Amino acid sequence: MFTNKTTFKQAFVDSIENKLGKTLQEASGLDIYNVLGHLIREYIGKDWMHTNKEYEAQQEKQIYYFSMEFLIGRLLGNNLLNLGTLQLVREALQELGLNLEEIEEQEHDAGLGNGGLGRLAACFLDSLATLQYPGHGCGIRYQYGLFEQKIINGYQVELPDYWLQKEYVWDIRRSDKKVGVRFGGHVISRELNGRMVYEHRDYEHVWAVPYDVPVVGYHYHNVNTLRLWSAESSQELGSYSNPADQNYYKFLAYSRSVQSISEFLYPDDSSYEGKQLRLKQQYFLCSAGLQSILRTFDKSGLSYYHLPSKVAIHINDTHPTLLIPELMRILIDDKNLGWEDAWDITTQTISYTNHTTLSEGLEKWPVHMVKELLPRIYMIIEEINERFCHLLWNLYPGQFNRIAQMAIIADDQVKMAHLAIVGSYSINGVAELHTQILKEREMKLFYEVFPQRFNNKTNGITHRRWLMHANPKLSNLITETIGHQWIAEPEQLIRLAPHAQDSSLQEEVARIKQQNKRKLATYIERNYPISIDPTSLFDVLAKRLHGYKRQLLSVLHIMHLYNQITDNPSIDMLPRTFIFGAKAAPNYHLAKKVIKLIHSVADTINRDPIASKLIKVVFLENYGVSLAEKIMPAAEISEQISTAGKEASGTSNMKFMMNGALTIATLDGANIEMQNLVGQEAMFIFGLRSEEIAHYNQFGDYQAKLLYESTPSIKRVMDQLILNSPYTRANNDFQDIYNSILKTNDEFFVLKDFDSYAAAQQRIDAEYRQSRSWLEKSIINIAHSGKFASDRTIAEYASEIWDTHPVPVHLARVHS
Ligand SMILES: *Cc1c(COP(=O)(O)O)cnc(C)c1O
């Protein structure tokens, strides 16, 4: 189709005229994006069809990656890159007087996720398709993605993210593939021919309608599917159209309740209804996704005993754990298998990734809620629990405590992590430290029972989006220096290492970083009333706002620097720009106060004529994938300062590293593996280690108050949170932050790590002045970042967990 620029231009201009009835000159920016998007989507269509046919014919094992979140961001640029037509399309558009980068800005980010977990799922899809694995995503097509963040007077305000308002060009509705999902009602059990049968009655029936998004592999590769489900009413207004009929109102209530299932990513779960809705969403995804998988499997004509050799189902955290009882239900109730056979099949098909050891992340559902919403599923969970406890009883006779701690149902709650472990054949953590903590602490009891199930798969990111697309200049420089093999095999980036001291390469790296910084500075100046010095050091902390991620540590340190400047205006300090991006969960009160504090500190410092020459503080609104793509290439310092032991892996650390930033970090998550690769000198490590934190937690012998009283610099910044200070003005905004440290004893060890963090920041100040050695370290970081490409992670999942193989699809695509 696009064999050269001329044919592309022809197709594009024709499309504008045919679709819009306008000339190119009359078309708006959004028109142009839509037409281009459609054109590319149609171009993908044939390969997509071809891929599906090939998968059906080859009968290779299919992978289904279930996730309640897919934070995919924009697709236009990435699809062009992966199709191998980016350059051609960019130049052709230029000849038409259009700028591709500006057109890309028209696309609304698909923000169907919160942060790392959802973004990981998106990176995995990209790697699966590129490595030619038949691997598909299963998720929900929320009408509203993660809220849009506005900052008003320094406070976060949440607006609905109605990303579907403008048409979405990438997906296709497949009404013919809809399936029914049932909620509520009750179950009648009876014996029939010596077998128990279960009949589900008086349930609410909901249609799940899939929308498919093509996932294009890089260059000549497969087109997989991300299938997103949308909930629709299964009755029509039709016979209830008379308001005098009492069924009319029943129908309205029903259709409203159906609509709410795929309405919001993370409904507000502070109420019972909100929690129940979340559970409903989870079952909706599991049931719809599984029915569709089994329908495809049925075409093979194989018996269900072959399911584990033809299908691998992976659950991204515990959110889709109901797949386990749902698969049991289908095998037993619909396919007439016995319990043992169904259990063998299920536990050989499902694998699970754990993403957190935070207690709030461990999902639990009230028993009566599960029973009421999913009566048959609850019965199955109960039986799984009974059989599991029986097994434990045999292993640990008389150890009531241990068994109670491990039970799936206990204290009137269903514990999803326990169900996930018991019902899957593989449980993986997402970085070496995290996996070790799972085995030795958080899931120790389960590890003793199922040691062979536990394994590590360190997370990764796709270098195609995060380096090639986000930072084309650096990508080109890398290719000029070591050839293009790193694109197909990112671990080849290591070939940069021998060039790290090469001064011409260093100069080029520095020049590109400078250009990227200027570009970000321009973006900031266009959108915020702040001017940025592009030669200052760009120090970035961008991720979800959370206590354990310790944005507070960074702000307190900036306040400390400001105190030093006011004490000594001629202090020798390197100019820095601190850049923040973070959304706080809408009902996470303290996190929102930290956002306000960042703004108060920014206001004060940016206005100060002396201090603002040395420090600028910028908070970028509405952090998301597209904003991250602008930030990463310009960053020189990556802040990865979580309380050790809390950040399972981190993935922004990998994006920054790949773009040449140096990392200031605690020994947490994947930071440890980064340090093992680049060495101590090429990072700025500080703070307590996870064993030390665990020790303090065990013995309770850390007292924040004592530290506060004995350290003047700490006391000073803490007092500035509450006493009359430049930041507090008339209100008492930061009392709660103050209390969280001094009254409830600093759960995240902010004060304990303060001095060590400040010292690491001083090392940065000193080392940035040695520009040659800084650039050498930057190149060393890039060289070692290949390990953190998601291609490596996915290859490990494929061979060590899923036992599946690539299916090369020979596409009809023609390349220029
Ligand atoms: C990578 C990414 C994250 C994850 O960042 P962490 O620092 O690992 O928490 C969150 N949000 C967006 C938009 C990302 O791109």
Side-chain angles (χ1 to χ4, degrees):
M1 191 177 182
F2 315 143
T3 46
N4 59 50
K5 285 185 259 179
T6 312
T7 55
F8 170 78
K9 283 193 290 189
Q10 189 68 52
F12 178 67
V13 173
D14 275 356
S15 215
I16 294 261
E17 293 174 0
N18 294 339
K19 281 220 165 65
L20 304 174
K22 287 184 188 175
T23 64
L24 182 59
Q25 285 66 37
E26 290 164 332
S28 70
L30 184 60
D31 285 338
I32 287 171
Y33 163 74
N34 278 332
V35 167
L36 180 58
H38 271 296
L39 198 63
I40 302 304
R41 226 283 296 126
E42 284 163 22
Y43 177 49
I44 296 167
K46 270 213 178 61
D47 292 342
W48 198 6
M49 180 188 74
H50 202 69
T51 303
N52 286 329
K53 292 243 177 304
E54 196 73 10
Y55 287 171
E56 211 180 308
Q58 299 263 340
Q59 301 228 341
E60 179 58 53
K61 190 170 181 179
Q62 303 287 305
I63 304 152
Y64 297 95
Y65 193 85
F66 276 75
S67 179
M68 287 288 279
E69 302 185 21
F70 285 92
L71 191 51
I72 53 183
R74 291 178 179 148
L75 290 182
L76 177 61
N78 246 246
N79 281 343
L80 288 172
L81 174 75
N82 284 8
L83 288 167
T85 52
L86 184 64
Q87 192 61 17
L88 182 152
V89 168
R90 184 188 290 124
E91 287 172 14
L93 289 169
Q94 222 154 30
E95 290 171 13
L96 294 170
L98 298 169
N99 178 311
L100 178 60
E101 214 173 310
E102 283 167 22
I103 299 173
E104 288 184 60
E105 289 292 319
Q106 294 287 338
E107 181 169 357
H108 197 123
D109 267 45
L112 307 183
N114 278 291
L117 173 147
R119 185 53 231 172
L120 184 77
C123 284
F124 279 5
L125 292 182
D126 187 71
S127 288
L128 281 165
T130 296
L131 299 180
Q132 307 193 303
Y133 290 110
H136 313 282
C138 307
I140 293 181
R141 187 179 192 255
Y142 305 100
Q143 241 178 317
Y144 297 90
L146 185 59
F147 66 85
E148 184 188 333
Q149 180 190 54
K150 282 257 178 267
I151 302 294
I152 298 181
N153 294 328
Y155 296 101
Q156 169 177 297
V157 173
E158 302 97 27
L159 304 177
D161 169 48
Y162 192 16
W163 68 293
L164 293 171
Q165 186 170 30
K166 302 175 193 169
E167 73 171 311
Y168 191 61
V169 301
W170 300 111
D171 64 4
I172 298 187
R173 180 186 161 90
R174 307 259 188 222
S175 326
D176 56 319
K177 302 219 159 131
K178 69 182 179 184
V179 297
V181 179
R182 300 181 291 187
F183 295 101
H186 55 272
V187 176
I188 311 276
S189 45
R190 62 195 156 85
E191 224 181 281
L192 185 73
N193 305 328
R195 200 188 137 77
M196 291 301 288
V197 293
Y198 302 90
E199 200 183 316
H200 194 174
R201 289 196 188 155
D202 301 327
Y203 50 81
E204 178 181 283
H205 183 273
V206 174
W207 284 123
V209 181
Y211 287 71
D212 288 351
V213 182
V215 181
V216 182
Y218 184 75
H219 279 199
Y220 307 97
H221 291 171
N222 310 20
V223 182
N224 288 340
T225 300
L226 168 59
R227 176 159 283 183
L228 299 174
W229 296 92
S230 179
E232 292 185 12
S233 307
S234 65
Q235 307 158 15
E236 311 253 317
L237 187 55
S239 55
Y240 308 125
S241 57
N242 179 2
D245 181 342
Q246 58 162 329
N247 286 329
Y248 174 79
Y249 293 98
K250 260 199 204 151
F251 174 77
L252 289 189
Y254 160 75
S255 85
R256 178 68 201 116
S257 101
V258 171
Q259 197 191 345
S260 69
I261 296 174
S262 50
E263 191 163 37
F264 289 103
L265 166 80
Y266 283 91
D268 174 7
D269 64 358
S270 51
S271 67
Y272 183 85
E273 286 73 21
K275 281 198 186 65
Q276 191 183 41
L277 179 55
R278 172 94 177 134
L279 181 63
K280 210 168 178 178
Q281 292 183 321
Q282 295 186 350
Y283 182 68
F284 175 75
L285 169 62
C286 293
S287 181
L290 199 49
Q291 290 181 62
S292 130
I293 291 170
L294 294 182
R295 199 156 53 185
T296 305
F297 174 78
D298 283 339
K299 286 197 217 158
S300 72
L302 293 169
S303 92
Y304 280 88
Y305 298 99
H306 293 284
L307 190 71
S309 63
K310 293 294 171 195
V311 168
I313 296 178
H314 199 88
I315 61 180
N316 194 24
D317 215 321
T318 55
H319 317 140
T321 299
L322 291 172
L323 279 164
I324 293 164
E326 177 68 359
L327 181 52
M328 289 295 286
R329 181 189 71 77
I330 295 176
L331 293 176
I332 294 171
D333 295 0
D334 299 349
K335 313 291 179 191
N336 295 318
L337 265 64
W339 181 279
E340 277 80 12
D341 286 346
W343 185 244
D344 282 348
I345 293 168
T346 300
T347 54
Q348 289 171 50
T349 303
I350 294 177
S351 48
Y352 152 57
T353 296
N354 174 283
H355 280 275
T356 178
T357 55
L358 301 183
S359 59
E360 71 198 47
L362 294 176
E363 287 191 297
K364 300 178 184 89
W365 299 106
V367 159
H368 63 99
M369 186 188 280
V370 182
K371 227 183 214 172
E372 184 185 292
L373 190 68
L374 309 167
R376 178 65 184 130
I377 291 299
Y378 183 73
M379 292 168 73
I380 292 171
I381 297 174
E382 232 174 4
E383 181 148 1
I384 296 174
N385 182 49
E386 264 170 39
R387 288 171 183 249
F388 177 57
C389 290
H390 188 77
L391 176 141
L392 292 178
W393 187 257
N394 286 335
L395 286 174
Y396 308 110
Q399 298 189 33
F400 295 97
N401 247 341
R402 179 189 287 257
I403 296 169
Q405 276 178 64
M406 297 178 75
I408 296 165
I409 302 173
D411 313 320
D412 257 334
Q413 289 182 316
V414 180
K415 301 185 174 172
M416 301 306 265
H418 297 190
L419 180 57
I421 297 170
V422 174
S424 34
Y425 66 89
S426 165
I427 299 124
N428 72 284
V430 291
E432 282 166 17
L433 174 70
H434 172 232
T435 302
Q436 184 194 339
I437 291 174
L438 291 181
K439 289 180 182 175
E440 292 173 6
R441 250 193 352 247
E442 301 297 326
M443 297 182 164
K444 185 168 188 288
L445 298 182
F446 289 94
Y447 179 58
E448 284 169 15
V449 180
F450 307 116
Q452 73 293 348
R453 293 190 186 180
F454 284 77
N455 63 92
N456 177 248
K457 298 285 169 283
T458 298
N459 281 167
I461 55 162
T462 167
H463 62 295
R464 289 169 289 276
R465 179 178 293 261
W466 294 108
L467 181 52
M468 297 170 71
H469 184 250
N471 199 345
K473 292 194 176 99
L474 182 58
S475 302
N476 289 339
L477 175 63
I478 294 170
T479 302
E480 283 163 23
T481 311
I482 58 169
H484 60 77
Q485 292 90 332
W486 69 276
I487 293 174
E489 294 167 58
E491 278 173 89
Q492 298 273 347
L493 283 169
I494 197 65
R495 291 163 59 179
L496 281 171
H499 302 277
Q501 294 185 334
D502 178 344
S503 62
S504 66
L505 180 64
Q506 290 177 357
E507 277 161 30
E508 284 302 294
V509 167
R511 195 176 56 80
I512 288 167
K513 185 62 82 180
Q514 198 51 42
Q515 287 174 354
N516 291 336
K517 286 168 70 182
R518 270 180 210 287
K519 195 168 165 194
L520 182 63
T522 306
Y523 171 83
I524 293 172
E525 285 172 9
R526 275 204 194 123
N527 292 282
Y528 299 85
I530 300 175
S531 71
I532 299 292
D533 171 6
T535 64
S536 64
L537 193 167
F538 279 21
D539 180 328
V540 185
L541 177 43
K543 50 185 76 235
R544 285 304 298 263
L545 216 138
H546 200 290
Y548 84 82
K549 290 179 182 278
R550 296 201 296 193
Q551 281 91 352
L552 184 56
L553 175 58
S554 165
V555 197
L556 292 177
H557 174 252
I558 296 170
M559 289 162 61
H560 168 67
L561 290 179
Y562 183 51
N563 288 338
Q564 290 183 307
I565 296 170
T566 49
D567 288 354
N568 172 17
S570 58
I571 190 170
D572 181 23
M573 190 186 283
L574 208 69
R576 275 214 220 192
T577 302
F578 291 97
I579 298 169
F580 290 89
K583 288 182 180 177
N587 50 16
Y588 192 169
H589 172 77
L590 263 181
K592 293 173 106 172
K593 290 293 185 189
V594 172
I595 290 181
K596 174 62 180 169
L597 179 61
I598 296 171
H599 283 90
S600 297
V601 170
D603 256 10
T604 305
I605 298 180
N606 296 347
R607 271 171 220 263
D608 183 315
I610 295 169
S612 66
K613 291 208 168 59
L614 296 175
I615 298 178
K616 283 273 169 63
V617 181
V618 187
F619 186 98
L620 299 179
E621 253 176 0
N622 204 33
Y623 184 58
V625 175
S626 294
L627 184 54
E629 288 180 48
K630 292 187 172 68
I631 294 174
M632 300 298 162
E636 291 168 301
I637 281 291
S638 157
E639 300 261 354
Q640 306 298 336
I641 60 178
S642 53
T643 311
K646 298 280 185 194
E647 185 73 272
S649 159
T651 48
S652 76
N653 46 3
M654 304 169 182
K655 302 166 196 165
F656 283 110
M657 179 193 196
M658 210 173 257
N659 282 280
L662 269 55
T663 308
I664 178 168
T666 48
L667 288 175
D668 199 13
N671 302 341
I672 297 174
E673 289 156 72
M674 287 169 56
Q675 189 203 228
N676 292 343
L677 292 169
V678 302
Q680 289 216 329
E681 324 71 48
M683 277 173 85
F684 301 92
I685 299 292
F686 74 97
L688 294 173
R689 292 155 179 266
S690 71
E691 315 87 75
E692 293 170 304
I693 303 255
H695 191 275
Y696 280 120
N697 283 334
Q698 188 180 351
F699 296 98
D701 52 354
Y702 164 49
Q703 287 176 318
K705 196 76 185 261
L706 291 182
L707 209 59
Y708 159 86
E709 277 156 3
S710 64
T711 322
S713 58
I714 289 180
K715 183 166 190 313
R716 188 169 171 191
V717 291
M718 286 303 294
D719 288 347
Q720 286 171 332
L721 293 175
I722 51 160
L723 302 177
N724 205 7
S725 82
Y727 315 116
T728 54
R729 305 236 167 74
N731 58 40
N732 203 13
D733 257 327
F734 309 125
Q735 183 74 49
D736 293 337
I737 296 180
Y738 178 90
N739 291 351
S740 77
I741 303 262
L742 293 175
K743 299 265 154 68
T744 48
N745 202 30
D746 192 9
E747 181 184 356
F748 298 110
F749 296 82
V750 172
L751 297 193
K752 189 74 185 161
D753 276 347
F754 186 88
D755 277 350
S756 155
Y757 178 62
Q761 287 288 9
Q762 273 196 324
R763 292 203 296 279
I764 290 173
D765 186 292
E767 291 196 20
Y768 193 69
R769 298 163 197 244
Q770 314 294 321
S771 79
R772 284 211 56 178
S773 84
W774 184 278
L775 290 165
E776 181 184 339
K777 289 170 188 173
S778 171
I779 295 167
I780 289 290
N781 270 274
I782 301 167
H784 287 279
S785 67
K787 167 176 176 182
F788 301 109
S790 45
D791 289 3
R792 187 268 311 149
T793 316
I794 281 298
E796 289 176 6
Y797 273 85
S799 73
E800 295 164 23
I801 298 179
W802 301 323
D803 188 24
T804 182
H805 307 280
V807 176
V809 176
H810 304 289
L811 301 178
R813 242 180 252 157
V814 184
H815 292 266
S816 58

